[in-house]
Amino acid sequence: MPSKTSAEPRSRRARNSLTVDAILDAAEQVAATGFESLTVRAVAVALEAAPMSLYRYFATKDELVDALLNRVLGRFAAPPETASWADDLAAFARNHRQMLRDHPWAVTPLIGHPYPGANALPIGEGALRILQRAGITGDAAVAAFSGIVALNYGWSSFVLAREAAEAASGGGAVQLPPAPPEFPLTAAAAGPMSRYGSEDHYKRTLKQLLAGIDADSRR
């Protein structure tokens, strides 16, 4: 009589039961645990599917990553238009940063994949339309748009790194070492330095950036 195995083989999802949305849902769950964990095999495990079955939908991992990042960009909430282009540009900047805050795992890969798909176009188009209302076009508009996006990516990257350091230290704020006497201004700014990257500092920096764009529009 044949011996009975202690565990039955794990069943696989039927190949035809997969969909693009199901794959992206699973990929986002994997990426949320750390983007470095995102592989076709990891997504297949999450789906209880054979890795080869995913290649029917995404020929390479890069295609999967682009589709996932394009999905994130599709969640950008374009601000409603008001009578003030300056207020609308500020709302655009805040909404763009909120999109990054909602998807912290996507910040770094989006820097390396600035155009993962068609959903990137409405974001840039919306910003350029706001700037056009201020009479800012061409290189000046691209520079202003790029400055806002760069601020948000850089700020988000710093905040994420700081939060990771705080988590590694047990949840407390990371303390900076006292500045030596030859750096008196740094020592005097110890309090504000401890709040570097705070929401208040972001608002101040964004306000200064927008004031410069506004001044440029008046020339």
Side-chain angles (χ1 to χ4, degrees):
M1 183 175 179
S3 60
K4 186 176 180 179
T5 57
S6 58
E8 294 294 330
R10 187 175 182 181
S11 61
R12 293 283 192 182
R13 177 194 288 258
R15 181 177 179 179
N16 292 335
S17 69
L18 290 176
T19 64
V20 169
D21 283 341
I23 294 172
L24 293 180
D25 286 343
E28 188 164 358
Q29 291 174 4
V30 173
T33 67
F35 188 75
E36 65 282 356
S37 302
L38 181 61
T39 64
V40 172
R41 180 171 295 277
V43 176
V45 169
L47 289 166
E48 297 185 354
M52 289 302 298
S53 64
L54 273 65
Y55 289 111
R56 176 184 175 189
Y57 302 87
F58 300 101
T60 64
K61 176 186 172 181
D62 285 342
E63 284 190 13
L64 175 61
V65 169
D66 281 346
L68 187 58
L69 296 178
N70 188 55
R71 186 192 224 196
V72 169
L73 294 182
R75 294 170 181 164
F76 172 75
E81 185 175 321
T82 70
S84 170
W85 72 263
D87 289 346
D88 292 353
L89 192 59
F92 168 89
R94 290 192 298 269
N95 288 11
H96 181 265
R97 181 170 177 243
Q98 186 61 51
M99 179 192 70
L100 299 178
R101 288 170 64 93
D102 291 341
H103 306 86
W105 57 267
V107 173
T108 298
L110 276 171
I111 293 173
H113 296 73
Y115 182 76
N119 286 336
L121 291 174
I123 297 176
E125 183 74 11
L128 294 175
R129 185 179 299 110
I130 295 171
L131 290 164
Q132 184 181 52
R133 288 163 50 200
I136 302 175
T137 60
D139 286 329
V142 173
F145 168 62
S146 301
I148 291 172
V149 171
L151 169 64
N152 285 345
Y153 277 124
W155 205 279
S156 298
S157 297
F158 175 82
V159 170
L160 288 172
R162 186 189 65 188
E163 290 175 348
E166 291 175 350
S169 66
V174 177
Q175 299 297 322
L176 299 176
E182 60 266 31
F183 301 101
L185 297 179
T186 302
M193 282 289 189
S194 68
R195 297 187 293 278
Y196 186 74
S198 66
E199 190 64 24
D200 175 62
H201 285 185
Y202 173 79
K203 291 178 180 178
R204 288 171 180 263
T205 304
L206 178 61
K207 182 178 180 181
Q208 292 165 355
L209 176 58
L210 295 176
I213 295 173
D214 186 23
D216 193 47
S217 73
R218 299 173 186 276
R219 292 178 184 153

